[in-house]
Amino acid sequence: MNTAMNYLTVLLVFLLLAAPSLYGIAHDRRIDRQLRQARQAGRDAERPSRRAEFTTVA
């Protein structure tokens, strides 16, 4: 019984320490996905980029 309780205690402490990191990773992945979708939507609109506007000669 003590061995099982020790394992559960170690598992609980590990989860408490790892939870913020796992949440941060999930948050970063969500932001990356949103940026990728916005970049793709910008390409679909076929609008010239700001760099293209400044490099053209009139």
Side-chain angles (χ1 to χ4, degrees), residues 1 5 8 10 15 18 21 25 31 34 40 56 58:
M1 183 68 177
M5 195 61 124
L8 288 175
V10 169
L15 289 175
S21 295
I25 290 169
I31 290 173
Q34 290 172 347
Q40 184 65 33
T56 57

Side-chain angles (χ1 to χ4, degrees), residues 2-53:
N2 281 340
T3 303
M5 195 61 124
N6 289 342
Y7 281 125
L8 288 175
T9 302
V10 169
L11 181 64
L12 178 67
V13 169
F14 174 76
L15 289 175
L16 285 174
L17 291 174
S21 295
L22 295 174
Y23 177 77
I25 290 169
H27 185 260
D28 288 346
R29 289 177 57 102
R30 186 176 68 234
I31 290 173
D32 289 343
R33 186 173 47 243
Q34 290 172 347
L35 289 172
R36 201 174 319 120
Q37 288 173 351
R39 198 176 303 126
Q40 184 65 33
R43 283 190 206 135
D44 293 343
E46 295 183 14
R47 151 187 131 185
S49 67
R50 290 182 68 185
R51 177 175 283 164
E53 291 174 11

